Short mmCIF file of all heavy atoms in Angstrom, two decimals:
data_model
loop_
_atom_site.label_atom_id
_atom_site.label_comp_id
_atom_site.label_asym_id
_atom_site.label_seq_id
_atom_site.Cartn_x
_atom_site.Cartn_y
_atom_site.Cartn_z
N THR A 50 -1.25 3.94 5.65
CA THR A 50 -2.11 2.88 5.16
C THR A 50 -1.83 1.60 6.01
O THR A 50 -0.75 1.08 6.00
CB THR A 50 -1.76 2.52 3.65
OG1 THR A 50 -1.98 3.67 2.87
CG2 THR A 50 -2.65 1.39 3.19
N VAL A 51 -2.87 1.24 6.77
CA VAL A 51 -2.76 0.04 7.51
C VAL A 51 -3.25 -1.13 6.67
O VAL A 51 -4.48 -1.36 6.48
CB VAL A 51 -3.57 0.14 8.88
CG1 VAL A 51 -3.46 -1.18 9.66
CG2 VAL A 51 -3.14 1.30 9.72
N ALA A 52 -2.31 -1.86 6.15
CA ALA A 52 -2.66 -2.97 5.21
C ALA A 52 -2.60 -4.29 6.03
O ALA A 52 -3.25 -4.44 7.07
CB ALA A 52 -1.75 -3.04 4.02
N SER A 53 -1.71 -5.18 5.60
CA SER A 53 -1.62 -6.47 6.28
C SER A 53 -0.41 -7.22 5.64
O SER A 53 -0.02 -6.90 4.52
CB SER A 53 -2.89 -7.28 6.09
OG SER A 53 -2.69 -8.61 6.51
N SER A 54 0.11 -8.19 6.37
CA SER A 54 1.09 -9.09 5.74
C SER A 54 0.44 -9.80 4.53
O SER A 54 1.14 -10.17 3.62
CB SER A 54 1.58 -10.10 6.73
OG SER A 54 0.54 -10.88 7.26
N LEU A 55 -0.88 -9.94 4.59
CA LEU A 55 -1.62 -10.60 3.48
C LEU A 55 -1.78 -9.63 2.26
O LEU A 55 -2.43 -10.03 1.35
CB LEU A 55 -2.95 -11.18 3.96
CG LEU A 55 -2.89 -12.33 4.89
CD1 LEU A 55 -4.27 -12.82 5.27
CD2 LEU A 55 -2.11 -13.51 4.25
N GLY A 56 -1.22 -8.48 2.37
CA GLY A 56 -1.11 -7.52 1.20
C GLY A 56 0.24 -7.74 0.53
O GLY A 56 0.45 -7.08 -0.50
N LEU A 57 1.16 -8.54 1.14
CA LEU A 57 2.44 -8.73 0.57
C LEU A 57 2.57 -10.16 0.11
O LEU A 57 3.31 -10.44 -0.87
CB LEU A 57 3.50 -8.42 1.65
CG LEU A 57 3.51 -7.02 2.22
CD1 LEU A 57 4.49 -6.92 3.35
CD2 LEU A 57 3.82 -5.98 1.14
N PHE A 58 1.96 -11.12 0.73
CA PHE A 58 1.90 -12.49 0.33
C PHE A 58 0.59 -13.09 0.71
O PHE A 58 -0.06 -12.53 1.70
CB PHE A 58 3.08 -13.33 0.94
CG PHE A 58 3.19 -13.18 2.37
CD1 PHE A 58 2.48 -13.96 3.26
CD2 PHE A 58 4.07 -12.29 2.95
CE1 PHE A 58 2.58 -13.86 4.64
CE2 PHE A 58 4.25 -12.09 4.31
CZ PHE A 58 3.50 -12.89 5.18
N SER A 59 0.12 -14.04 0.01
CA SER A 59 -1.28 -14.52 0.21
C SER A 59 -1.32 -15.87 0.87
O SER A 59 -0.31 -16.55 1.08
CB SER A 59 -1.99 -14.52 -1.15
OG SER A 59 -1.35 -15.39 -1.98
N THR A 60 -2.58 -16.31 1.16
CA THR A 60 -2.81 -17.68 1.65
C THR A 60 -4.19 -18.15 1.11
O THR A 60 -4.93 -17.29 0.55
CB THR A 60 -2.78 -17.73 3.19
OG1 THR A 60 -2.83 -19.06 3.60
CG2 THR A 60 -3.95 -16.99 3.83
N ALA A 61 -4.49 -19.35 1.28
CA ALA A 61 -5.72 -19.93 0.68
C ALA A 61 -6.92 -19.57 1.53
O ALA A 61 -6.88 -19.42 2.73
CB ALA A 61 -5.64 -21.43 0.63
N GLY A 62 -8.09 -19.38 0.86
CA GLY A 62 -9.38 -19.33 1.48
C GLY A 62 -9.86 -17.91 1.75
O GLY A 62 -11.02 -17.72 2.12
N VAL A 63 -9.00 -16.90 1.60
CA VAL A 63 -9.42 -15.49 1.83
C VAL A 63 -9.01 -14.65 0.63
O VAL A 63 -8.38 -13.62 0.75
CB VAL A 63 -8.76 -14.93 3.15
CG1 VAL A 63 -9.46 -15.49 4.37
CG2 VAL A 63 -7.24 -15.26 3.21
N GLU A 64 -9.51 -15.08 -0.53
CA GLU A 64 -9.18 -14.40 -1.75
C GLU A 64 -9.61 -12.91 -1.74
O GLU A 64 -8.85 -12.07 -2.27
CB GLU A 64 -9.78 -15.14 -2.95
CG GLU A 64 -9.20 -16.49 -3.28
CD GLU A 64 -9.82 -17.60 -2.47
OE1 GLU A 64 -10.59 -17.35 -1.56
OE2 GLU A 64 -9.49 -18.80 -2.76
N ASP A 65 -10.81 -12.65 -1.28
CA ASP A 65 -11.25 -11.25 -1.27
C ASP A 65 -10.44 -10.39 -0.39
O ASP A 65 -10.05 -9.27 -0.73
CB ASP A 65 -12.75 -11.19 -0.91
CG ASP A 65 -13.08 -11.82 0.41
OD1 ASP A 65 -12.29 -12.66 0.85
OD2 ASP A 65 -14.11 -11.43 1.03
N TYR A 66 -10.10 -10.94 0.79
CA TYR A 66 -9.34 -10.12 1.75
C TYR A 66 -7.90 -9.88 1.19
O TYR A 66 -7.44 -8.70 1.27
CB TYR A 66 -9.24 -10.89 3.09
CG TYR A 66 -8.56 -10.10 4.17
CD1 TYR A 66 -9.21 -9.14 4.89
CD2 TYR A 66 -7.20 -10.27 4.45
CE1 TYR A 66 -8.64 -8.41 5.92
CE2 TYR A 66 -6.57 -9.53 5.45
CZ TYR A 66 -7.28 -8.61 6.17
OH TYR A 66 -6.71 -7.88 7.16
N CYS A 67 -7.26 -10.90 0.62
CA CYS A 67 -5.91 -10.76 0.11
C CYS A 67 -5.91 -9.76 -1.09
O CYS A 67 -5.08 -8.87 -1.15
CB CYS A 67 -5.36 -12.09 -0.37
SG CYS A 67 -4.94 -13.18 0.97
N ALA A 68 -6.93 -9.90 -1.94
CA ALA A 68 -7.02 -8.97 -3.07
C ALA A 68 -7.18 -7.52 -2.63
O ALA A 68 -6.57 -6.63 -3.15
CB ALA A 68 -8.17 -9.43 -3.96
N SER A 69 -8.03 -7.32 -1.58
CA SER A 69 -8.23 -5.93 -1.12
C SER A 69 -6.98 -5.40 -0.48
O SER A 69 -6.73 -4.18 -0.64
CB SER A 69 -9.42 -5.94 -0.14
OG SER A 69 -9.05 -6.67 1.15
N LYS A 70 -6.22 -6.21 0.25
CA LYS A 70 -5.02 -5.72 0.91
C LYS A 70 -3.91 -5.54 -0.09
O LYS A 70 -3.08 -4.57 -0.01
CB LYS A 70 -4.60 -6.68 2.00
CG LYS A 70 -5.54 -6.62 3.20
CD LYS A 70 -5.65 -5.24 3.84
CE LYS A 70 -6.58 -5.26 5.07
NZ LYS A 70 -6.59 -3.91 5.70
N PHE A 71 -3.81 -6.37 -1.10
CA PHE A 71 -2.88 -6.18 -2.23
C PHE A 71 -3.15 -4.87 -2.91
O PHE A 71 -2.25 -4.11 -3.27
CB PHE A 71 -2.90 -7.31 -3.19
CG PHE A 71 -1.89 -8.41 -2.94
CD1 PHE A 71 -2.11 -9.32 -1.92
CD2 PHE A 71 -0.70 -8.55 -3.75
CE1 PHE A 71 -1.17 -10.30 -1.66
CE2 PHE A 71 0.19 -9.52 -3.46
CZ PHE A 71 -0.03 -10.47 -2.42
N GLY A 72 -4.45 -4.62 -3.10
CA GLY A 72 -4.94 -3.36 -3.69
C GLY A 72 -4.53 -2.15 -2.88
O GLY A 72 -4.09 -1.15 -3.41
N ALA A 73 -4.68 -2.24 -1.53
CA ALA A 73 -4.32 -1.19 -0.64
C ALA A 73 -2.81 -0.88 -0.71
O ALA A 73 -2.38 0.27 -0.72
CB ALA A 73 -4.72 -1.49 0.78
N VAL A 74 -2.03 -1.91 -0.78
CA VAL A 74 -0.56 -1.78 -0.85
C VAL A 74 -0.25 -1.14 -2.20
O VAL A 74 0.62 -0.17 -2.26
CB VAL A 74 0.20 -3.19 -0.70
CG1 VAL A 74 1.63 -3.04 -1.05
CG2 VAL A 74 -0.04 -3.72 0.71
N GLY A 75 -0.81 -1.64 -3.27
CA GLY A 75 -0.53 -1.04 -4.56
C GLY A 75 -0.90 0.43 -4.64
O GLY A 75 -0.22 1.28 -5.19
N PHE A 76 -2.07 0.77 -4.10
CA PHE A 76 -2.52 2.16 -4.04
C PHE A 76 -1.50 2.97 -3.24
O PHE A 76 -1.11 4.13 -3.71
CB PHE A 76 -3.91 2.27 -3.36
CG PHE A 76 -4.22 3.61 -2.93
CD1 PHE A 76 -4.80 4.53 -3.87
CD2 PHE A 76 -4.13 4.02 -1.59
CE1 PHE A 76 -5.14 5.86 -3.47
CE2 PHE A 76 -4.48 5.34 -1.29
CZ PHE A 76 -4.97 6.21 -2.16
N HIS A 77 -1.14 2.50 -2.14
CA HIS A 77 -0.15 3.26 -1.29
C HIS A 77 1.18 3.48 -1.94
O HIS A 77 1.71 4.62 -1.95
CB HIS A 77 0.07 2.50 0.03
CG HIS A 77 1.02 3.28 1.00
ND1 HIS A 77 0.58 4.14 1.93
CD2 HIS A 77 2.37 3.23 1.06
CE1 HIS A 77 1.59 4.60 2.56
NE2 HIS A 77 2.73 4.03 2.08
N GLU A 78 1.70 2.44 -2.58
CA GLU A 78 3.03 2.61 -3.28
C GLU A 78 2.91 3.53 -4.43
O GLU A 78 3.81 4.42 -4.62
CB GLU A 78 3.50 1.24 -3.70
CG GLU A 78 3.90 0.30 -2.62
CD GLU A 78 4.47 -1.03 -3.04
OE1 GLU A 78 4.45 -1.24 -4.32
OE2 GLU A 78 4.98 -1.82 -2.19
N SER A 79 1.84 3.50 -5.22
CA SER A 79 1.71 4.38 -6.33
C SER A 79 1.53 5.78 -5.93
O SER A 79 2.18 6.73 -6.48
CB SER A 79 0.47 3.96 -7.20
OG SER A 79 0.34 4.81 -8.36
N LEU A 80 0.76 6.00 -4.85
CA LEU A 80 0.56 7.36 -4.32
C LEU A 80 1.90 7.97 -3.78
O LEU A 80 2.25 9.09 -3.97
CB LEU A 80 -0.46 7.32 -3.21
CG LEU A 80 -0.66 8.64 -2.43
CD1 LEU A 80 -1.30 9.68 -3.39
CD2 LEU A 80 -1.59 8.44 -1.26
N SER A 81 2.71 7.06 -3.14
CA SER A 81 4.00 7.52 -2.62
C SER A 81 4.91 7.95 -3.77
O SER A 81 5.59 8.97 -3.66
CB SER A 81 4.66 6.38 -1.88
OG SER A 81 3.90 6.03 -0.77
N HIS A 82 4.88 7.20 -4.85
CA HIS A 82 5.73 7.57 -6.02
C HIS A 82 5.20 8.89 -6.62
O HIS A 82 6.00 9.72 -7.09
CB HIS A 82 5.65 6.48 -7.14
CG HIS A 82 6.52 5.25 -6.73
ND1 HIS A 82 7.86 5.36 -6.48
CD2 HIS A 82 6.19 3.98 -6.55
CE1 HIS A 82 8.32 4.21 -6.20
NE2 HIS A 82 7.33 3.27 -6.27
N GLU A 83 3.85 9.05 -6.68
CA GLU A 83 3.32 10.25 -7.21
C GLU A 83 3.72 11.49 -6.45
O GLU A 83 4.08 12.58 -6.97
CB GLU A 83 1.79 10.19 -7.28
CG GLU A 83 1.08 11.39 -7.89
CD GLU A 83 -0.35 11.24 -8.12
OE1 GLU A 83 -0.82 10.04 -8.18
OE2 GLU A 83 -1.06 12.23 -8.27
N LEU A 84 3.74 11.39 -5.09
CA LEU A 84 4.16 12.49 -4.25
C LEU A 84 5.63 12.79 -4.42
O LEU A 84 6.05 13.98 -4.40
CB LEU A 84 3.84 12.17 -2.74
CG LEU A 84 2.36 12.04 -2.42
CD1 LEU A 84 2.15 11.52 -0.99
CD2 LEU A 84 1.66 13.42 -2.57
N LYS A 85 6.36 11.78 -4.65
CA LYS A 85 7.83 11.93 -4.79
C LYS A 85 8.05 12.63 -6.17
O LYS A 85 8.94 13.52 -6.27
CB LYS A 85 8.59 10.60 -4.78
CG LYS A 85 8.67 9.94 -3.44
CD LYS A 85 9.55 10.65 -2.46
CE LYS A 85 9.70 9.90 -1.16
NZ LYS A 85 10.49 10.66 -0.18
N ALA A 86 7.31 12.21 -7.18
CA ALA A 86 7.45 12.81 -8.52
C ALA A 86 7.03 14.26 -8.51
O ALA A 86 7.65 15.08 -9.24
CB ALA A 86 6.63 12.00 -9.51
N ALA A 87 6.11 14.57 -7.66
CA ALA A 87 5.65 15.97 -7.57
C ALA A 87 6.54 16.81 -6.65
O ALA A 87 6.30 18.01 -6.47
CB ALA A 87 4.20 16.01 -7.04
N GLU A 88 7.51 16.13 -6.07
CA GLU A 88 8.51 16.81 -5.13
C GLU A 88 7.73 17.42 -3.92
O GLU A 88 8.16 18.50 -3.44
CB GLU A 88 9.33 17.85 -5.90
CG GLU A 88 10.16 17.24 -6.97
CD GLU A 88 11.11 18.25 -7.65
OE1 GLU A 88 10.94 19.43 -7.34
OE2 GLU A 88 11.97 17.85 -8.47
N LYS A 89 6.74 16.71 -3.44
CA LYS A 89 6.07 17.16 -2.26
C LYS A 89 6.70 16.45 -1.09
O LYS A 89 6.09 15.55 -0.45
CB LYS A 89 4.59 16.83 -2.37
CG LYS A 89 3.81 17.64 -3.46
CD LYS A 89 3.83 19.12 -3.10
CE LYS A 89 3.03 19.92 -4.13
NZ LYS A 89 2.95 21.38 -3.80
N ASP A 90 7.90 16.89 -0.73
CA ASP A 90 8.64 16.20 0.28
C ASP A 90 8.09 16.43 1.70
O ASP A 90 8.55 15.77 2.69
CB ASP A 90 10.13 16.59 0.23
CG ASP A 90 10.29 18.09 0.35
OD1 ASP A 90 9.28 18.86 0.22
OD2 ASP A 90 11.44 18.53 0.58
N GLY A 91 7.16 17.33 1.86
CA GLY A 91 6.56 17.58 3.12
C GLY A 91 5.43 16.63 3.45
O GLY A 91 4.94 16.62 4.64
N ILE A 92 4.98 15.83 2.54
CA ILE A 92 3.92 14.83 2.74
C ILE A 92 4.56 13.49 2.88
O ILE A 92 5.19 13.03 1.87
CB ILE A 92 2.93 14.86 1.60
CG1 ILE A 92 2.32 16.31 1.41
CG2 ILE A 92 1.78 13.90 1.92
CD1 ILE A 92 1.40 16.41 0.26
N LYS A 93 4.48 12.88 4.02
CA LYS A 93 5.08 11.57 4.27
C LYS A 93 4.05 10.49 4.11
O LYS A 93 2.81 10.71 4.28
CB LYS A 93 5.68 11.48 5.69
CG LYS A 93 6.57 12.69 6.02
CD LYS A 93 7.78 12.81 5.12
CE LYS A 93 8.69 14.02 5.45
NZ LYS A 93 9.84 14.09 4.58
N THR A 94 4.52 9.26 3.87
CA THR A 94 3.63 8.12 3.71
C THR A 94 4.22 6.96 4.54
O THR A 94 5.52 6.75 4.54
CB THR A 94 3.41 7.66 2.28
OG1 THR A 94 4.68 7.35 1.64
CG2 THR A 94 2.80 8.76 1.49
N THR A 95 3.37 6.20 5.18
CA THR A 95 3.85 5.02 5.92
C THR A 95 2.87 3.86 5.67
O THR A 95 1.70 4.02 5.79
CB THR A 95 3.90 5.30 7.44
OG1 THR A 95 4.85 6.34 7.74
CG2 THR A 95 4.33 4.03 8.19
N LEU A 96 3.47 2.73 5.21
CA LEU A 96 2.70 1.54 4.99
C LEU A 96 2.94 0.53 6.21
O LEU A 96 4.04 0.26 6.52
CB LEU A 96 3.16 0.84 3.66
CG LEU A 96 2.54 -0.49 3.30
CD1 LEU A 96 1.06 -0.32 3.09
CD2 LEU A 96 3.18 -1.09 2.07
N VAL A 97 1.79 0.16 6.79
CA VAL A 97 1.84 -0.76 7.97
C VAL A 97 1.36 -2.06 7.60
O VAL A 97 0.16 -2.20 7.21
CB VAL A 97 1.03 -0.10 9.15
CG1 VAL A 97 1.14 -1.05 10.37
CG2 VAL A 97 1.48 1.28 9.46
#
């Protein structure tokens, strides 16, 4: 998942962009936890 530093902290004037990147980061983290919970250790995830 190629997100952005604006998916970890925000700045003024780009609310839609920050919201979308925060959403991408949240999606990626939740998916990573789901794969771990399913013990699918052969599927790797990387957040950029």
Side-chain angles (χ1 to χ4, degrees):
T50 300
V51 181
S53 168
S54 58
L55 291 180
L57 303 174
F58 51 84
S59 58
T60 188
V63 283
E64 289 86 353
D65 58 336
Y66 186 82
C67 289
S69 68
K70 291 301 183 178
F71 267 76
V74 171
F76 166 80
H77 180 92
E78 291 184 353
S79 180
L80 176 64
S81 299
H82 285 302
E83 182 171 340
L84 294 172
K85 292 291 185 183
E88 298 184 353
K89 294 295 182 178
D90 56 346
I92 305 175
K93 310 299 181 182
T94 59
T95 298
L96 176 63
V97 181

